[in-house]
């Protein structure tokens, strides 16, 4: 099992920045790929981005590309989501998730952290 705990959410004005953290513990070999997702009220969960185990490869949705950056500290088993130039439409609960390279689905999820962007 991999336990994931997000932190860093909060209220920010449009144009501002926030950095979310996702700390992994337990059997972290199950976290080859770390992903970030978000879900706004009344909407389906949306993929934000992902990063591989050594942090060398990341991928982002078109919605956040150029504004959000994912990084990974292997020594701390922590993944970060740096969010810049935030927009009101970025308001959502943000979740981190983990999966192995061999899996197509993310098997481990955090509890989520709320991000609210005011206009």
């Amino acid at each position: 099992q991999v336990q994931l705990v997000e932190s860093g959410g909060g209220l920010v004005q449009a144009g501002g920045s926030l950095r979310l953290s996702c700390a992994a513990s337990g059997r972290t070999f199950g976290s080859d790929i770390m992903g970030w997702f978000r879900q706004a009220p009344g909407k389906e969960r949306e993929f934000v981005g992902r990063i591989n185990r050594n942090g060398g490869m990341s991928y982002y949705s078109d919605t956040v590309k150029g504004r959000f950056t994912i990084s990974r500290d292997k020594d701390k088993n922590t993944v970060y989501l740096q969010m810049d130039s935030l927009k009101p439409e970025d308001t959502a609960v943000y979740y981190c998730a983990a999966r192995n390279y061999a899996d197509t689905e993310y098997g481990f999820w955090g509890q989520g952290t709320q991000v609210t962007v005011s206009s």
Side-chain angles (χ1 to χ4, degrees), residues 4 8 19 21 23 48 50-51 54 79 94-95 103 116 118-119:
L4 303 173
R19 189 179 79 158
S21 300
V48 174
R50 66 172 185 259
I51 192 167
N54 67 12
V79 175
Y94 283 72
Y95 300 90
D103 297 332
T116 303
S118 63
S119 58

Side-chain angles (χ1 to χ4, degrees), residues 33 37 47 50 98-107 109:
I33 303 290
F37 295 78
F47 171 78
R50 66 172 185 259
R99 66 174 175 88
N100 290 320
Y101 286 125
D103 297 332
T104 57
E105 300 291 331
Y106 287 84
W109 292 83

Side-chain angles (χ1 to χ4, degrees), residues 1-4 6 22-25 27-37 49-51 53 72 79 95-101 103-110:
Q1 291 289 331
V2 178
Q3 290 80 43
L4 303 173
E6 302 99 333
C22 174
S25 60
R27 302 175 69 182
T28 55
F29 66 78
S31 58
D32 289 335
I33 303 290
M34 297 293 294
W36 284 97
F37 295 78
R50 66 172 185 259
I51 192 167
R53 174 171 283 276
R72 187 167 189 168
V79 175
Y95 300 90
C96 68
R99 66 174 175 88
N100 290 320
Y101 286 125
D103 297 332
T104 57
E105 300 291 331
Y106 287 84
F108 306 100
W109 292 83

